[in-house]
Structures are given as C-alpha cells and as structure tokens.
Amino acid sequence: DAGVIQSPRHEVTEMGQEVTLRCKPISGHNSLFWYRQTMMRGLELLIYFNNNVPIDDSGMPEDRFSAKMPNASFSTLKIQPSEPRDSAVYFCATTRGSGGAADTQYFGPGTRLTVL
Amino acid sequence: AQSVTQPDIHITVSEGASLELRCNYSYGATPYLFWYVQSPGQGLQLLLKYFSGDTLVQGIKGFEAEFKRSQSSFNLRKPSVHWSDAAEYFCAVGATNAGNMLTFGGGTRLMVKP
C-alpha cells in the first residue's frame, strides 16, 4: 500500500496567491483529516470528512480556507488568498473506520507551505 | 473538552540510556490514548495506543507506555535508546464524544547523544 499521498511536498508562493494542497487517502479508508502544524500552535485539526462528507470544520481558521472531498480518492485544501501567517506544514491523515476516536490515523508526509 | 500536556519540550539522553517521556491528559471518562513519532521532514507514525484492558501497552521500535488513571498520565518509555530514536514525539487523546477527532500535545523533541 502506498500510504497517504500528499502533493506538492513543498510550495512557495507569494501573498495573495491561491494555494491548493492535495491528498490521496489510503484505499478503503473512510475518514480524512487535514491538520496544520506550526511552531507556535503545534498540530491543529482543521477539518475532517467521513465518507466524503465534511463532519467538523470548526478548526478552519478563516473563510480564506476551504476543503473539498469530491470522491473517496481525493481531497483538496485551498487557501485563497494566501497570507504569510499561513506558512506551515499541512498534513493529511486517514482512518479505516467511519467513526470513533479509537481508529488509528495514518499520516501523509505533509506539504510545507511558505507564503512570502 | 479533552486536553493533553507534554511538560518537556526538549529531552536529551545518551545512547543506550533509558527514556521516559511524560504525557498528562484531561478528560472526564476513559480516553483513547496514542503516542506518535515524527522524524524530521516526515509525517506522524503511530507507536502505540491504549483503549482498555492491560494498562501497560507495547508498541513498535521497543517502546511501551503505561496508562495510570489516578495520575491522568500515559508516559512513554524505552529501556535503551538508539540514535535513530531522535525525533519528535506526540501524545494524543481521542474522546468518545468527539467523533474521530484527536487532540495532540505540544510534542517532545528527543535528542540522542553518542
């Protein structure tokens, strides 16, 4: 199994530009999570999906952030417009189960975003 | 709401020495507890998890952790550290009333001296 795949691995952009981060979950996994990791705030959950439906997006910082999961094999996290304070590592994680905190989350390698 | 505290931001140990990383949680019922490891430039990898039963759980790479309800702790241990264990370690708690959501601690960065 290829594991959770994220692209790009690194992204450098200028303030005001649109940024799209992509995630391909492990085949058969029903839940998908987007996290942001910074030195100041640690790991923060932004949003999670179950069976392609957004369940909790209370962690999404602002309207500039949006996430979609059009099918079971693909999710995107979009920032428009981007700001320097969005610079962070963004992780995607997936679980096999469809509910319950007992499910093990499998993390992708992350996308390091730098907004100049 | 649940919370997790990892009191030690940095820890340095000598190779071959024993290791204990502290984790304290706050949650009203029995939580699901996890330890993840993050190597530089990598995503998080699960080391071990506790749901119920035996309070001493074994994980990968020779790690173990002990759940102590009276102390609200879930400390991670390894009897003999290897240089390859240098990484950042995250404790996390999952609550049964919070769906799939995990709350992570701030992490402990482990450095290993030769």
Side-chain angles (χ1 to χ4, degrees), chain B residues 63-100:
Chain B
F63 286 92
E64 66 178 26
E66 186 171 12
F67 170 60
K68 293 185 177 180
R69 183 190 302 277
S70 61
Q71 298 177 20
S72 297
S73 69
F74 188 57
N75 294 348
L76 182 71
R77 300 194 293 248
K78 187 169 184 178
S80 177
V81 169
H82 187 262
W83 64 267
S84 60
D85 294 324
E88 187 148 21
Y89 292 80
F90 292 91
C91 182
V93 60
T96 52
N97 64 352
N100 281 357

PDB file of all heavy atoms in Angstrom, chain B residues 63-100:
ATOM      1  N   PHE B  63       9.196   0.480  22.138  1.00  0.00           N
ATOM      2  CA  PHE B  63       8.555   1.418  23.058  1.00  0.00           C
ATOM      3  C   PHE B  63       7.393   0.761  23.805  1.00  0.00           C
ATOM      4  O   PHE B  63       6.742  -0.152  23.292  1.00  0.00           O
ATOM      5  CB  PHE B  63       8.030   2.644  22.299  1.00  0.00           C
ATOM      6  CG  PHE B  63       9.105   3.597  21.869  1.00  0.00           C
ATOM      7  CD1 PHE B  63       9.700   3.482  20.626  1.00  0.00           C
ATOM      8  CD2 PHE B  63       9.519   4.610  22.727  1.00  0.00           C
ATOM      9  CE1 PHE B  63      10.700   4.368  20.234  1.00  0.00           C
ATOM     10  CE2 PHE B  63      10.509   5.499  22.341  1.00  0.00           C
ATOM     11  CZ  PHE B  63      11.105   5.371  21.087  1.00  0.00           C
ATOM     12  N   GLU B  64       7.138   1.276  24.996  1.00  0.00           N
ATOM     13  CA  GLU B  64       5.977   0.883  25.768  1.00  0.00           C
ATOM     14  C   GLU B  64       5.431   2.118  26.485  1.00  0.00           C
ATOM     15  O   GLU B  64       6.129   3.132  26.624  1.00  0.00           O
ATOM     16  CB  GLU B  64       6.311  -0.198  26.799  1.00  0.00           C
ATOM     17  CG  GLU B  64       7.234   0.254  27.894  1.00  0.00           C
ATOM     18  CD  GLU B  64       7.515  -0.833  28.922  1.00  0.00           C
ATOM     19  OE1 GLU B  64       7.422  -2.036  28.592  1.00  0.00           O
ATOM     20  OE2 GLU B  64       7.831  -0.472  30.070  1.00  0.00           O
ATOM     21  N   ALA B  65       4.183   2.034  26.902  1.00  0.00           N
ATOM     22  CA  ALA B  65       3.581   3.139  27.643  1.00  0.00           C
ATOM     23  C   ALA B  65       2.648   2.561  28.691  1.00  0.00           C
ATOM     24  O   ALA B  65       2.062   1.496  28.511  1.00  0.00           O
ATOM     25  CB  ALA B  65       2.821   4.079  26.711  1.00  0.00           C
ATOM     26  N   GLU B  66       2.515   3.289  29.773  1.00  0.00           N
ATOM     27  CA  GLU B  66       1.668   2.837  30.875  1.00  0.00           C
ATOM     28  C   GLU B  66       0.587   3.860  31.161  1.00  0.00           C
ATOM     29  O   GLU B  66       0.885   5.041  31.396  1.00  0.00           O
ATOM     30  CB  GLU B  66       2.495   2.583  32.134  1.00  0.00           C
ATOM     31  CG  GLU B  66       1.678   1.971  33.267  1.00  0.00           C
ATOM     32  CD  GLU B  66       2.531   1.527  34.434  1.00  0.00           C
ATOM     33  OE1 GLU B  66       3.728   1.883  34.488  1.00  0.00           O
ATOM     34  OE2 GLU B  66       1.990   0.817  35.312  1.00  0.00           O
ATOM     35  N   PHE B  67      -0.640   3.407  31.166  1.00  0.00           N
ATOM     36  CA  PHE B  67      -1.784   4.245  31.496  1.00  0.00           C
ATOM     37  C   PHE B  67      -1.992   4.202  33.004  1.00  0.00           C
ATOM     38  O   PHE B  67      -2.157   3.128  33.587  1.00  0.00           O
ATOM     39  CB  PHE B  67      -3.034   3.717  30.788  1.00  0.00           C
ATOM     40  CG  PHE B  67      -4.327   4.357  31.222  1.00  0.00           C
ATOM     41  CD1 PHE B  67      -4.515   5.724  31.075  1.00  0.00           C
ATOM     42  CD2 PHE B  67      -5.345   3.601  31.776  1.00  0.00           C
ATOM     43  CE1 PHE B  67      -5.705   6.319  31.466  1.00  0.00           C
ATOM     44  CE2 PHE B  67      -6.540   4.180  32.165  1.00  0.00           C
ATOM     45  CZ  PHE B  67      -6.726   5.545  32.018  1.00  0.00           C
ATOM     46  N   LYS B  68      -1.979   5.381  33.628  1.00  0.00           N
ATOM     47  CA  LYS B  68      -2.242   5.489  35.058  1.00  0.00           C
ATOM     48  C   LYS B  68      -3.413   6.434  35.255  1.00  0.00           C
ATOM     49  O   LYS B  68      -3.257   7.666  35.188  1.00  0.00           O
ATOM     50  CB  LYS B  68      -1.000   5.989  35.805  1.00  0.00           C
ATOM     51  CG  LYS B  68       0.154   5.001  35.791  1.00  0.00           C
ATOM     52  CD  LYS B  68       1.314   5.493  36.656  1.00  0.00           C
ATOM     53  CE  LYS B  68       2.437   4.461  36.697  1.00  0.00           C
ATOM     54  NZ  LYS B  68       3.582   4.913  37.528  1.00  0.00           N
ATOM     55  N   ARG B  69      -4.555   5.849  35.527  1.00  0.00           N
ATOM     56  CA  ARG B  69      -5.775   6.650  35.647  1.00  0.00           C
ATOM     57  C   ARG B  69      -5.668   7.627  36.805  1.00  0.00           C
ATOM     58  O   ARG B  69      -6.079   8.783  36.684  1.00  0.00           O
ATOM     59  CB  ARG B  69      -6.983   5.743  35.856  1.00  0.00           C
ATOM     60  CG  ARG B  69      -8.320   6.481  35.927  1.00  0.00           C
ATOM     61  CD  ARG B  69      -9.418   5.530  36.382  1.00  0.00           C
ATOM     62  NE  ARG B  69      -9.547   4.389  35.506  1.00  0.00           N
ATOM     63  CZ  ARG B  69     -10.237   4.398  34.378  1.00  0.00           C
ATOM     64  NH1 ARG B  69     -10.864   5.501  33.997  1.00  0.00           N
ATOM     65  NH2 ARG B  69     -10.315   3.306  33.640  1.00  0.00           N
ATOM     66  N   SER B  70      -5.087   7.181  37.922  1.00  0.00           N
ATOM     67  CA  SER B  70      -5.033   8.032  39.116  1.00  0.00           C
ATOM     68  C   SER B  70      -4.193   9.279  38.888  1.00  0.00           C
ATOM     69  O   SER B  70      -4.383  10.299  39.550  1.00  0.00           O
ATOM     70  CB  SER B  70      -4.473   7.238  40.300  1.00  0.00           C
ATOM     71  OG  SER B  70      -3.154   6.798  40.012  1.00  0.00           O
ATOM     72  N   GLN B  71      -3.254   9.187  37.961  1.00  0.00           N
ATOM     73  CA  GLN B  71      -2.375  10.321  37.673  1.00  0.00           C
ATOM     74  C   GLN B  71      -2.716  10.995  36.349  1.00  0.00           C
ATOM     75  O   GLN B  71      -2.033  11.937  35.953  1.00  0.00           O
ATOM     76  CB  GLN B  71      -0.914   9.851  37.649  1.00  0.00           C
ATOM     77  CG  GLN B  71      -0.442   9.277  38.975  1.00  0.00           C
ATOM     78  CD  GLN B  71       0.982   8.751  38.911  1.00  0.00           C
ATOM     79  OE1 GLN B  71       1.760   9.105  38.034  1.00  0.00           O
ATOM     80  NE2 GLN B  71       1.338   7.893  39.855  1.00  0.00           N
ATOM     81  N   SER B  72      -3.734  10.493  35.674  1.00  0.00           N
ATOM     82  CA  SER B  72      -4.101  11.014  34.338  1.00  0.00           C
ATOM     83  C   SER B  72      -2.867  11.091  33.444  1.00  0.00           C
ATOM     84  O   SER B  72      -2.613  12.114  32.783  1.00  0.00           O
ATOM     85  CB  SER B  72      -4.754  12.404  34.455  1.00  0.00           C
ATOM     86  OG  SER B  72      -5.957  12.320  35.183  1.00  0.00           O
ATOM     87  N   SER B  73      -2.102  10.020  33.460  1.00  0.00           N
ATOM     88  CA  SER B  73      -0.861  10.033  32.695  1.00  0.00           C
ATOM     89  C   SER B  73      -0.778   8.839  31.747  1.00  0.00           C
ATOM     90  O   SER B  73      -1.434   7.810  31.949  1.00  0.00           O
ATOM     91  CB  SER B  73       0.351  10.037  33.638  1.00  0.00           C
ATOM     92  OG  SER B  73       0.466   8.789  34.311  1.00  0.00           O
ATOM     93  N   PHE B  74       0.045   9.004  30.742  1.00  0.00           N
ATOM     94  CA  PHE B  74       0.285   7.948  29.753  1.00  0.00           C
ATOM     95  C   PHE B  74       1.714   8.154  29.268  1.00  0.00           C
ATOM     96  O   PHE B  74       1.965   8.606  28.165  1.00  0.00           O
ATOM     97  CB  PHE B  74      -0.724   8.053  28.611  1.00  0.00           C
ATOM     98  CG  PHE B  74      -0.686   6.904  27.633  1.00  0.00           C
ATOM     99  CD1 PHE B  74      -0.864   5.599  28.060  1.00  0.00           C
ATOM    100  CD2 PHE B  74      -0.519   7.136  26.277  1.00  0.00           C
ATOM    101  CE1 PHE B  74      -0.848   4.535  27.157  1.00  0.00           C
ATOM    102  CE2 PHE B  74      -0.503   6.087  25.359  1.00  0.00           C
ATOM    103  CZ  PHE B  74      -0.664   4.791  25.801  1.00  0.00           C
ATOM    104  N   ASN B  75       2.667   7.821  30.119  1.00  0.00           N
ATOM    105  CA  ASN B  75       4.071   8.078  29.820  1.00  0.00           C
ATOM    106  C   ASN B  75       4.664   7.018  28.902  1.00  0.00           C
ATOM    107  O   ASN B  75       4.378   5.823  29.029  1.00  0.00           O
ATOM    108  CB  ASN B  75       4.881   8.144  31.114  1.00  0.00           C
ATOM    109  CG  ASN B  75       4.485   9.345  31.963  1.00  0.00           C
ATOM    110  OD1 ASN B  75       3.782  10.244  31.506  1.00  0.00           O
ATOM    111  ND2 ASN B  75       4.945   9.343  33.211  1.00  0.00           N
ATOM    112  N   LEU B  76       5.519   7.459  28.025  1.00  0.00           N
ATOM    113  CA  LEU B  76       6.180   6.590  27.054  1.00  0.00           C
ATOM    114  C   LEU B  76       7.570   6.236  27.562  1.00  0.00           C
ATOM    115  O   LEU B  76       8.291   7.109  28.045  1.00  0.00           O
ATOM    116  CB  LEU B  76       6.292   7.311  25.706  1.00  0.00           C
ATOM    117  CG  LEU B  76       6.916   6.548  24.546  1.00  0.00           C
ATOM    118  CD1 LEU B  76       5.976   5.445  24.059  1.00  0.00           C
ATOM    119  CD2 LEU B  76       7.225   7.511  23.397  1.00  0.00           C
ATOM    120  N   ARG B  77       7.936   4.963  27.404  1.00  0.00           N
ATOM    121  CA  ARG B  77       9.245   4.530  27.923  1.00  0.00           C
ATOM    122  C   ARG B  77       9.967   3.649  26.894  1.00  0.00           C
ATOM    123  O   ARG B  77       9.328   3.002  26.055  1.00  0.00           O
ATOM    124  CB  ARG B  77       9.080   3.737  29.219  1.00  0.00           C
ATOM    125  CG  ARG B  77       8.407   4.495  30.338  1.00  0.00           C
ATOM    126  CD  ARG B  77       8.583   3.784  31.654  1.00  0.00           C
ATOM    127  NE  ARG B  77       7.872   2.500  31.684  1.00  0.00           N
ATOM    128  CZ  ARG B  77       6.813   2.273  32.446  1.00  0.00           C
ATOM    129  NH1 ARG B  77       6.305   3.230  33.194  1.00  0.00           N
ATOM    130  NH2 ARG B  77       6.245   1.077  32.462  1.00  0.00           N
ATOM    131  N   LYS B  78      11.283   3.670  27.021  1.00  0.00           N
ATOM    132  CA  LYS B  78      12.114   2.747  26.264  1.00  0.00           C
ATOM    133  C   LYS B  78      13.341   2.440  27.106  1.00  0.00           C
ATOM    134  O   LYS B  78      13.979   3.379  27.608  1.00  0.00           O
ATOM    135  CB  LYS B  78      12.522   3.331  24.903  1.00  0.00           C
ATOM    136  CG  LYS B  78      13.248   2.329  24.020  1.00  0.00           C
ATOM    137  CD  LYS B  78      13.404   2.835  22.600  1.00  0.00           C
ATOM    138  CE  LYS B  78      14.050   1.751  21.733  1.00  0.00           C
ATOM    139  NZ  LYS B  78      14.198   2.155  20.310  1.00  0.00           N
ATOM    140  N   PRO B  79      13.679   1.178  27.288  1.00  0.00           N
ATOM    141  CA  PRO B  79      14.779   0.838  28.202  1.00  0.00           C
ATOM    142  C   PRO B  79      16.159   1.254  27.698  1.00  0.00           C
ATOM    143  O   PRO B  79      17.041   1.562  28.503  1.00  0.00           O
ATOM    144  CB  PRO B  79      14.684  -0.683  28.342  1.00  0.00           C
ATOM    145  CG  PRO B  79      13.831  -1.144  27.213  1.00  0.00           C
ATOM    146  CD  PRO B  79      12.966  -0.009  26.803  1.00  0.00           C
ATOM    147  N   SER B  80      16.365   1.274  26.381  1.00  0.00           N
ATOM    148  CA  SER B  80      17.673   1.604  25.843  1.00  0.00           C
ATOM    149  C   SER B  80      17.487   2.346  24.523  1.00  0.00           C
ATOM    150  O   SER B  80      17.024   1.778  23.537  1.00  0.00           O
ATOM    151  CB  SER B  80      18.491   0.323  25.626  1.00  0.00           C
ATOM    152  OG  SER B  80      19.743   0.621  25.044  1.00  0.00           O
ATOM    153  N   VAL B  81      17.862   3.615  24.523  1.00  0.00           N
ATOM    154  CA  VAL B  81      17.608   4.475  23.369  1.00  0.00           C
ATOM    155  C   VAL B  81      18.696   4.289  22.308  1.00  0.00           C
ATOM    156  O   VAL B  81      19.886   4.163  22.631  1.00  0.00           O
ATOM    157  CB  VAL B  81      17.550   5.944  23.829  1.00  0.00           C
ATOM    158  CG1 VAL B  81      17.552   6.879  22.641  1.00  0.00           C
ATOM    159  CG2 VAL B  81      16.304   6.179  24.669  1.00  0.00           C
ATOM    160  N   HIS B  82      18.273   4.315  21.063  1.00  0.00           N
ATOM    161  CA  HIS B  82      19.186   4.226  19.920  1.00  0.00           C
ATOM    162  C   HIS B  82      19.244   5.589  19.245  1.00  0.00           C
ATOM    163  O   HIS B  82      18.284   6.376  19.323  1.00  0.00           O
ATOM    164  CB  HIS B  82      18.666   3.149  18.953  1.00  0.00           C
ATOM    165  CG  HIS B  82      19.583   2.829  17.831  1.00  0.00           C
ATOM    166  ND1 HIS B  82      19.455   3.370  16.573  1.00  0.00           N
ATOM    167  CD2 HIS B  82      20.667   2.003  17.773  1.00  0.00           C
ATOM    168  CE1 HIS B  82      20.402   2.905  15.796  1.00  0.00           C
ATOM    169  NE2 HIS B  82      21.156   2.082  16.491  1.00  0.00           N
ATOM    170  N   TRP B  83      20.358   5.867  18.544  1.00  0.00           N
ATOM    171  CA  TRP B  83      20.490   7.169  17.899  1.00  0.00           C
ATOM    172  C   TRP B  83      19.327   7.433  16.938  1.00  0.00           C
ATOM    173  O   TRP B  83      18.908   8.582  16.752  1.00  0.00           O
ATOM    174  CB  TRP B  83      21.824   7.279  17.157  1.00  0.00           C
ATOM    175  CG  TRP B  83      21.980   6.326  16.006  1.00  0.00           C
ATOM    176  CD1 TRP B  83      22.554   5.094  16.046  1.00  0.00           C
ATOM    177  CD2 TRP B  83      21.521   6.505  14.669  1.00  0.00           C
ATOM    178  NE1 TRP B  83      22.484   4.501  14.822  1.00  0.00           N
ATOM    179  CE2 TRP B  83      21.874   5.334  13.947  1.00  0.00           C
ATOM    180  CE3 TRP B  83      20.852   7.542  13.992  1.00  0.00           C
ATOM    181  CZ2 TRP B  83      21.571   5.185  12.602  1.00  0.00           C
ATOM    182  CZ3 TRP B  83      20.563   7.386  12.644  1.00  0.00           C
ATOM    183  CH2 TRP B  83      20.921   6.211  11.969  1.00  0.00           C
ATOM    184  N   SER B  84      18.788   6.364  16.347  1.00  0.00           N
ATOM    185  CA  SER B  84      17.706   6.547  15.378  1.00  0.00           C
ATOM    186  C   SER B  84      16.379   6.942  16.037  1.00  0.00           C
ATOM    187  O   SER B  84      15.410   7.240  15.331  1.00  0.00           O
ATOM    188  CB  SER B  84      17.508   5.260  14.568  1.00  0.00           C
ATOM    189  OG  SER B  84      17.173   4.185  15.428  1.00  0.00           O
ATOM    190  N   ASP B  85      16.341   6.925  17.357  1.00  0.00           N
ATOM    191  CA  ASP B  85      15.125   7.348  18.051  1.00  0.00           C
ATOM    192  C   ASP B  85      14.988   8.869  18.135  1.00  0.00           C
ATOM    193  O   ASP B  85      13.940   9.374  18.571  1.00  0.00           O
ATOM    194  CB  ASP B  85      15.075   6.763  19.471  1.00  0.00           C
ATOM    195  CG  ASP B  85      14.933   5.253  19.470  1.00  0.00           C
ATOM    196  OD1 ASP B  85      14.240   4.718  18.584  1.00  0.00           O
ATOM    197  OD2 ASP B  85      15.536   4.609  20.369  1.00  0.00           O
ATOM    198  N   ALA B  86      16.012   9.585  17.748  1.00  0.00           N
ATOM    199  CA  ALA B  86      15.935  11.044  17.774  1.00  0.00           C
ATOM    200  C   ALA B  86      14.821  11.513  16.848  1.00  0.00           C
ATOM    201  O   ALA B  86      14.825  11.216  15.644  1.00  0.00           O
ATOM    202  CB  ALA B  86      17.270  11.648  17.343  1.00  0.00           C
ATOM    203  N   ALA B  87      13.851  12.219  17.405  1.00  0.00           N
ATOM    204  CA  ALA B  87      12.650  12.607  16.665  1.00  0.00           C
ATOM    205  C   ALA B  87      11.780  13.444  17.589  1.00  0.00           C
ATOM    206  O   ALA B  87      12.167  13.741  18.725  1.00  0.00           O
ATOM    207  CB  ALA B  87      11.872  11.362  16.213  1.00  0.00           C
ATOM    208  N   GLU B  88      10.608  13.791  17.112  1.00  0.00           N
ATOM    209  CA  GLU B  88       9.644  14.462  17.977  1.00  0.00           C
ATOM    210  C   GLU B  88       8.504  13.486  18.271  1.00  0.00           C
ATOM    211  O   GLU B  88       8.037  12.776  17.376  1.00  0.00           O
ATOM    212  CB  GLU B  88       9.099  15.733  17.325  1.00  0.00           C
ATOM    213  CG  GLU B  88       8.218  16.543  18.256  1.00  0.00           C
ATOM    214  CD  GLU B  88       8.294  18.035  17.996  1.00  0.00           C
ATOM    215  OE1 GLU B  88       8.701  18.427  16.889  1.00  0.00           O
ATOM    216  OE2 GLU B  88       7.941  18.814  18.911  1.00  0.00           O
ATOM    217  N   TYR B  89       8.083  13.489  19.515  1.00  0.00           N
ATOM    218  CA  TYR B  89       7.086  12.533  19.976  1.00  0.00           C
ATOM    219  C   TYR B  89       5.831  13.284  20.441  1.00  0.00           C
ATOM    220  O   TYR B  89       5.922  14.260  21.193  1.00  0.00           O
ATOM    221  CB  TYR B  89       7.657  11.681  21.118  1.00  0.00           C
ATOM    222  CG  TYR B  89       8.756  10.762  20.648  1.00  0.00           C
ATOM    223  CD1 TYR B  89      10.046  11.242  20.456  1.00  0.00           C
ATOM    224  CD2 TYR B  89       8.504   9.424  20.364  1.00  0.00           C
ATOM    225  CE1 TYR B  89      11.060  10.416  19.990  1.00  0.00           C
ATOM    226  CE2 TYR B  89       9.507   8.582  19.909  1.00  0.00           C
ATOM    227  CZ  TYR B  89      10.776   9.087  19.717  1.00  0.00           C
ATOM    228  OH  TYR B  89      11.772   8.255  19.252  1.00  0.00           O
ATOM    229  N   PHE B  90       4.701  12.784  19.974  1.00  0.00           N
ATOM    230  CA  PHE B  90       3.425  13.426  20.284  1.00  0.00           C
ATOM    231  C   PHE B  90       2.506  12.441  20.995  1.00  0.00           C
ATOM    232  O   PHE B  90       2.303  11.318  20.528  1.00  0.00           O
ATOM    233  CB  PHE B  90       2.732  13.902  19.013  1.00  0.00           C
ATOM    234  CG  PHE B  90       3.426  15.035  18.325  1.00  0.00           C
ATOM    235  CD1 PHE B  90       4.367  14.794  17.345  1.00  0.00           C
ATOM    236  CD2 PHE B  90       3.136  16.354  18.655  1.00  0.00           C
ATOM    237  CE1 PHE B  90       5.021  15.829  16.698  1.00  0.00           C
ATOM    238  CE2 PHE B  90       3.782  17.400  18.017  1.00  0.00           C
ATOM    239  CZ  PHE B  90       4.724  17.148  17.035  1.00  0.00           C
ATOM    240  N   CYS B  91       1.959  12.899  22.090  1.00  0.00           N
ATOM    241  CA  CYS B  91       0.904  12.174  22.781  1.00  0.00           C
ATOM    242  C   CYS B  91      -0.426  12.741  22.303  1.00  0.00           C
ATOM    243  O   CYS B  91      -0.536  13.947  22.047  1.00  0.00           O
ATOM    244  CB  CYS B  91       1.070  12.372  24.287  1.00  0.00           C
ATOM    245  SG  CYS B  91      -0.110  11.491  25.319  1.00  0.00           S
ATOM    246  N   ALA B  92      -1.430  11.896  22.163  1.00  0.00           N
ATOM    247  CA  ALA B  92      -2.731  12.362  21.700  1.00  0.00           C
ATOM    248  C   ALA B  92      -3.832  11.627  22.439  1.00  0.00           C
ATOM    249  O   ALA B  92      -3.671  10.475  22.849  1.00  0.00           O
ATOM    250  CB  ALA B  92      -2.882  12.142  20.194  1.00  0.00           C
ATOM    251  N   VAL B  93      -4.944  12.302  22.584  1.00  0.00           N
ATOM    252  CA  VAL B  93      -6.113  11.709  23.228  1.00  0.00           C
ATOM    253  C   VAL B  93      -7.302  11.802  22.295  1.00  0.00           C
ATOM    254  O   VAL B  93      -7.513  12.814  21.633  1.00  0.00           O
ATOM    255  CB  VAL B  93      -6.406  12.387  24.584  1.00  0.00           C
ATOM    256  CG1 VAL B  93      -6.684  13.876  24.405  1.00  0.00           C
ATOM    257  CG2 VAL B  93      -7.589  11.734  25.271  1.00  0.00           C
ATOM    258  N   GLY B  94      -8.043  10.725  22.211  1.00  0.00           N
ATOM    259  CA  GLY B  94      -9.273  10.697  21.454  1.00  0.00           C
ATOM    260  C   GLY B  94     -10.425  10.487  22.416  1.00  0.00           C
ATOM    261  O   GLY B  94     -10.353   9.631  23.294  1.00  0.00           O
ATOM    262  N   ALA B  95     -11.455  11.291  22.271  1.00  0.00           N
ATOM    263  CA  ALA B  95     -12.575  11.217  23.198  1.00  0.00           C
ATOM    264  C   ALA B  95     -13.774  10.614  22.495  1.00  0.00           C
ATOM    265  O   ALA B  95     -14.049  10.928  21.345  1.00  0.00           O
ATOM    266  CB  ALA B  95     -12.909  12.608  23.724  1.00  0.00           C
ATOM    267  N   THR B  96     -14.499   9.797  23.193  1.00  0.00           N
ATOM    268  CA  THR B  96     -15.632   9.101  22.587  1.00  0.00           C
ATOM    269  C   THR B  96     -16.762  10.060  22.217  1.00  0.00           C
ATOM    270  O   THR B  96     -17.592   9.740  21.386  1.00  0.00           O
ATOM    271  CB  THR B  96     -16.193   8.041  23.534  1.00  0.00           C
ATOM    272  OG1 THR B  96     -16.458   8.659  24.805  1.00  0.00           O
ATOM    273  CG2 THR B  96     -15.180   6.936  23.752  1.00  0.00           C
ATOM    274  N   ASN B  97     -16.751  11.250  22.792  1.00  0.00           N
ATOM    275  CA  ASN B  97     -17.808  12.198  22.454  1.00  0.00           C
ATOM    276  C   ASN B  97     -17.354  13.223  21.430  1.00  0.00           C
ATOM    277  O   ASN B  97     -17.980  14.252  21.245  1.00  0.00           O
ATOM    278  CB  ASN B  97     -18.304  12.913  23.718  1.00  0.00           C
ATOM    279  CG  ASN B  97     -17.215  13.760  24.363  1.00  0.00           C
ATOM    280  OD1 ASN B  97     -16.059  13.690  23.956  1.00  0.00           O
ATOM    281  ND2 ASN B  97     -17.581  14.556  25.337  1.00  0.00           N
ATOM    282  N   ALA B  98     -16.234  12.941  20.779  1.00  0.00           N
ATOM    283  CA  ALA B  98     -15.692  13.912  19.823  1.00  0.00           C
ATOM    284  C   ALA B  98     -15.444  13.265  18.467  1.00  0.00           C
ATOM    285  O   ALA B  98     -14.555  13.680  17.742  1.00  0.00           O
ATOM    286  CB  ALA B  98     -14.398  14.518  20.364  1.00  0.00           C
ATOM    287  N   GLY B  99     -16.226  12.239  18.160  1.00  0.00           N
ATOM    288  CA  GLY B  99     -16.084  11.622  16.853  1.00  0.00           C
ATOM    289  C   GLY B  99     -14.706  11.065  16.641  1.00  0.00           C
ATOM    290  O   GLY B  99     -14.143  10.405  17.490  1.00  0.00           O
ATOM    291  N   ASN B 100     -14.155  11.349  15.469  1.00  0.00           N
ATOM    292  CA  ASN B 100     -12.834  10.849  15.134  1.00  0.00           C
ATOM    293  C   ASN B 100     -11.719  11.779  15.569  1.00  0.00           C
ATOM    294  O   ASN B 100     -10.579  11.551  15.261  1.00  0.00           O
ATOM    295  CB  ASN B 100     -12.734  10.659  13.629  1.00  0.00           C
ATOM    296  CG  ASN B 100     -13.397   9.394  13.172  1.00  0.00           C
ATOM    297  OD1 ASN B 100     -13.892   8.619  13.961  1.00  0.00           O
ATOM    298  ND2 ASN B 100     -13.412   9.173  11.878  1.00  0.00           N
TER     299      ASN B 100
END
